[in-house]
Amino acid sequence: MTEAPPSSLGRQRFAPLRALLADPFTGAALILVAGFLITAALAPWLAPYSPTKIDVLHKLQPPSAEHWFGTDHLGRDLLSRIVFGTRTALTIAMVSVVIAGAIGLLLGLIAGYGPRWLDALLVLTFDSLNSLPMIMFALAIITVLGAGTSTLIIVIAATSFPSYARLIRAQTLALKNSDYILAERLLDAGTVRIIFVHLLPNVVGPLIILLSMDIPVVIMVEAGLSFLGLGVRPPTPSWGSILYDGYTSIRSAPFMVIFGGFPLVLATLGFTFLGEGLRDYLDPRLKLRRPA
């Protein structure tokens, strides 16, 4: 049997990436997301100044060669705060989404494959949590635990995992009576083996799509709560707090709102189109036609 040449092996290795980049929207989104991830990882080296350094003698300075994006009402460099705000936004979004996805995946598998009474109890729990207004729930949790990054992650994860669990439950119910699962039962395979070896690989694809498309939603939620003063604690940089500072000084320094909102818009577009690209790649049946 002849081995494939190294060139063909390389093409096969990068075939998924080429498939994603074939769509211009997904390719541009992938570049945007990669740029945000690199910015978040290298924030201490990319930021020209400390994001918390106060210089009231140079407050509300317009963009210049020294401060490319200008300064805020306390004289802090706006570009540095936006760079570190990228780290804050992506950390909260990705950590909370991963935690919510893991909880939803586990509970969804248990609800879909477990006994009917347990399924009914878990579905009731999911529906009860979904019925809670997110802002009111966030206010209640923040009142008890106090504002901060950890509280935001808890709030977002607690309000997000029920929808993920419902998705995984539906996928599990559709697969639990399939032929290969029935064959495993006939071979006396254990419940844990069936769930984690056979069901898990087949239900994780739709979850990845939903997680990737929920990241921009979480970024907007974090920015909105920080804008209201319910997010990360000052002086930690956040896109929402930067927008609030710009809103309070919009007459004298409108550039703060422009530069503060621009990365939020780009991150939302980037993660949204990347999520759609992953959806089209992982499940071609859901592919939407885009204009040429």
Side-chain angles (χ1 to χ4, degrees):
M1 183 177 181
T2 59
E3 295 183 358
S7 59
S8 63
L9 292 177
R11 287 194 297 269
Q12 294 175 3
R13 185 179 304 169
F14 294 102
L17 181 60
R18 289 201 306 270
L20 286 175
L21 294 178
D23 181 31
F25 291 95
T26 307
L30 188 59
I31 294 173
L32 274 177
V33 170
F36 279 112
L37 292 175
I38 293 173
T39 301
L42 304 179
W45 294 274
L46 294 178
Y49 301 94
S50 170
T52 58
K53 182 181 179 181
I54 298 176
D55 184 8
V56 293
L57 296 178
H58 297 88
K59 64 179 182 179
L60 300 179
Q61 293 292 312
S64 62
E66 186 177 1
H67 300 283
W68 290 4
F69 286 4
T71 59
D72 64 4
H73 65 296
L74 295 177
R76 297 172 295 191
D77 183 66
L78 192 57
L79 175 59
S80 301
R81 291 187 61 78
I82 290 175
V83 169
F84 275 88
T86 303
R87 170 177 284 189
T88 302
L90 294 187
T91 299
I92 293 175
M94 301 187 77
V95 171
S96 59
V97 163
V98 168
I99 293 175
I103 297 174
L105 178 62
L106 179 62
L107 294 182
L109 286 170
I110 294 174
Y113 196 78
R116 295 186 63 180
W117 66 267
L118 182 58
D119 179 31
L121 178 62
L122 289 175
V123 169
L124 179 62
T125 303
F126 302 154
D127 292 341
S128 299
L129 290 175
N130 274 331
S131 64
L132 294 175
M134 183 174 183
I135 297 298
M136 299 302 296
F137 182 75
L139 289 174
I141 297 297
I142 291 172
T143 301
V144 175
L145 301 179
T149 302
S150 300
T151 305
L152 269 180
I153 292 175
I154 292 173
V155 169
I156 295 172
T159 55
S160 299
F161 84 84
S163 60
Y164 304 147
R166 294 277 296 185
L167 172 68
I168 298 302
R169 172 185 175 272
Q171 296 285 326
T172 304
L173 288 175
L175 294 173
K176 67 182 296 185
N177 293 322
S178 56
D179 293 340
Y180 70 95
I181 298 297
L182 295 177
E184 283 291 317
R185 291 176 183 169
L186 291 175
L187 294 175
D188 291 332
T191 302
V192 175
R193 173 180 172 81
I194 292 176
I195 290 177
F196 289 100
V197 175
H198 298 285
L199 289 177
L200 179 60
N202 290 284
V203 302
V204 74
L207 179 63
I208 293 175
I209 297 172
L210 187 58
L211 292 179
S212 62
M213 299 189 73
D214 275 357
I215 288 179
V217 177
V218 175
I219 291 175
M220 293 294 292
V221 169
E222 183 274 327
L225 291 176
S226 297
F227 183 88
L228 297 174
L230 302 175
V232 297
R233 295 176 178 175
T236 303
S238 169
W239 289 344
S241 60
I242 292 172
L243 283 174
Y244 177 77
D245 294 338
Y247 173 75
T248 57
S249 306
I250 193 170
R251 292 185 179 275
S252 56
F255 59 87
M256 290 181 60
V257 174
I258 297 174
F259 290 127
F262 196 60
L264 187 60
V265 173
L266 288 180
T268 302
L269 290 175
F271 279 102
T272 299
F273 281 112
L274 181 60
E276 291 184 357
L278 289 174
R279 177 202 60 196
D280 297 344
Y281 175 73
L282 294 175
D283 194 350
R285 294 173 301 176
L286 299 177
K287 186 174 183 179
L288 298 177
R289 293 185 178 182
R290 296 197 182 111

